Amino acid sequence: MTDNNEDHFEVTFWGTRGTLPVSGAPFARTGGNTNCIEVTCGNHTIIIDAGTGIRELGSKIVSTSPNQKIHLLLTHAHYDHVEGIPFFAPFFVENAKVDISCGKLEGSKDTSQLISSLMERPFFPVGPEVFSANIDYNTLEENSAYNISNAIRITTASLNHPGGSTGYRIDFAGKSFACITDTEHVADQHDENILKLIDNVDAFSYDCSLLDKEMCDFKGYGHSTFEEGMRLAKLADAGALLASHHMPFRNDDDLDQIEKEMKSENPNNAVAREGDCIKL
Ligand SMILES: [Zn+2]
Ligand SMILES: [Zn+2]
């Protein structure tokens, strides 16, 4: 952590729900929006996933720095990761610049086609032609690395998820953060792609949808557990595991229980809740 603004590296969770948004008192402390993480590296804004949490983030960006370039990294195109796209305010700002990147997914040609399909009738009333921002679409190679500016390195890893999904690692100013969602682990095996991506990472958010004891009921849905997250964190010597992608049936009290277990192994581990901000 540093006070120098140029090295400022901060991760803010705008939505940590997986599968479906939720609302009501039992979920109030964790928040009900689906996946969206804002990563600030110096003057650069990187957003991972465009679940419903991106709507409020978009409003903040437009009211504070509407002309700033935004890098939107999509892990994949399941609804809970993209349903906020048509409601992201910077897309409606003339001359705003947004780069949308995603790995190649089953059934789609490229990232541009992915967004068009998402906003196609009968699923949505208008297409991406309503956006006035300058949008660049990138389709990323599997298990690759590239730079955003000289100082920010993005590394990708293919995950084990129906239709495909991409994990991201961001290295900046000597620190690192990774986002691993969605992915299914195989019992008693550790995903080498993930271990490589999170090797010595300062913090990573992980698909903690399930409990080990629930895996047998959700085989093939493409999700993992907080217990596997802890095993991976230990093997990779990661600084902190941040549990995310909470299932709609998991309420605040359930998540407190999970967090207690996670912290007993490493006090830096935590359940990611909407509004949480981690300075690296
Ligand atoms: Zn998901
Ligand atoms: Zn998914």
Side-chain angles (χ1 to χ4, degrees):
M1 198 169 109
T2 168
D3 291 322
N4 182 344
N5 202 39
E6 282 179 15
D7 290 349
H8 181 69
F9 193 176
E10 192 173 274
V11 174
T12 308
F13 290 89
W14 291 82
T16 63
R17 285 280 156 193
T19 308
L20 266 185
V22 289
S23 66
F27 311 101
R29 282 188 289 111
T30 312
N33 281 308
T34 64
N35 312 278
C36 180
I37 304 173
E38 176 190 21
V39 184
T40 305
C41 299
N43 299 321
H44 293 262
T45 294
I46 300 164
I47 300 171
I48 304 176
D49 277 338
T52 60
I54 203 172
R55 192 196 63 81
E56 209 180 322
L57 170 57
S59 305
K60 185 206 79 168
I61 291 172
V62 166
S63 64
T64 54
S65 44
N67 294 316
Q68 153 193 34
K69 182 165 181 176
I70 296 160
H71 302 269
L72 173 57
L73 310 178
L74 298 175
T75 59
H76 63 307
H78 286 163
Y79 296 128
D80 50 329
H81 300 259
V82 295
E83 58 198 322
I85 281 181
F87 308 96
F88 184 51
F91 286 151
F92 298 90
V93 175
E94 218 156 311
N95 299 322
K97 292 185 191 71
V98 188
D99 264 4
I100 308 180
S101 303
C102 188
K104 176 100 173 58
L105 298 172
E106 207 177 294
S108 101
K109 283 201 210 84
D110 56 29
T111 302
S112 169
Q113 192 209 19
L114 199 73
I115 305 301
S116 303
S117 309
L118 173 77
M119 296 176 69
E120 202 169 54
R121 293 178 193 180
F123 303 108
F124 205 75
V126 292
E129 69 277 359
V130 296
F131 296 152
S132 34
N134 295 321
I135 303 176
D136 279 331
Y137 298 94
N138 311 298
T139 306
L140 303 174
E141 296 292 325
E142 286 187 357
N143 305 317
S144 61
Y146 66 101
N147 275 28
I148 292 175
S149 86
N150 289 336
I152 307 168
R153 184 83 170 153
I154 310 282
T155 310
T156 71
S158 300
L159 303 177
N160 180 32
H161 195 60
S165 186
T166 298
Y168 293 100
R169 174 180 175 132
I170 300 169
D171 281 272
F172 173 67
K175 299 279 181 180
S176 51
F177 170 74
C179 172
I180 310 291
T181 199
D182 298 358
T183 198
E184 182 166 338
H185 71 276
V186 178
D188 304 320
Q189 279 179 37
H190 303 297
D191 188 321
E192 289 299 327
N193 273 356
I194 296 176
L195 282 175
K196 207 169 143 197
L197 197 73
I198 64 168
D199 185 41
N200 268 298
V201 77
D202 289 291
F204 72 110
S205 104
Y206 187 71
D207 177 354
C208 296
S209 300
L210 302 167
L211 311 178
D212 274 353
K213 64 181 181 192
E214 294 168 341
M215 279 302 283
C216 51
D217 295 328
F218 289 92
K219 208 169 162 29
Y221 281 79
H223 293 293
S224 189
T225 68
F226 83 90
E227 293 103 325
E228 179 65 11
M230 291 206 297
R231 292 187 285 267
L232 290 168
K234 213 169 181 177
L235 287 167
D237 209 9
L241 161 68
L242 306 168
S244 193
H245 206 276
H246 315 304
M247 287 300 235
F249 53 78
R250 201 87 67 205
N251 65 30
D252 291 338
D253 294 342
D254 298 331
L255 290 166
D256 287 347
Q257 234 0 80
I258 287 172
E259 188 168 60
K260 215 169 142 189
E261 280 191 54
M262 288 170 60
K263 283 191 179 296
S264 70
E265 187 163 291
N266 175 354
N268 295 328
N269 290 344
V271 162
R273 299 181 177 86
E274 216 167 291
D276 282 354
C277 181
I278 286 120
K279 288 180 179 24
L280 294 163

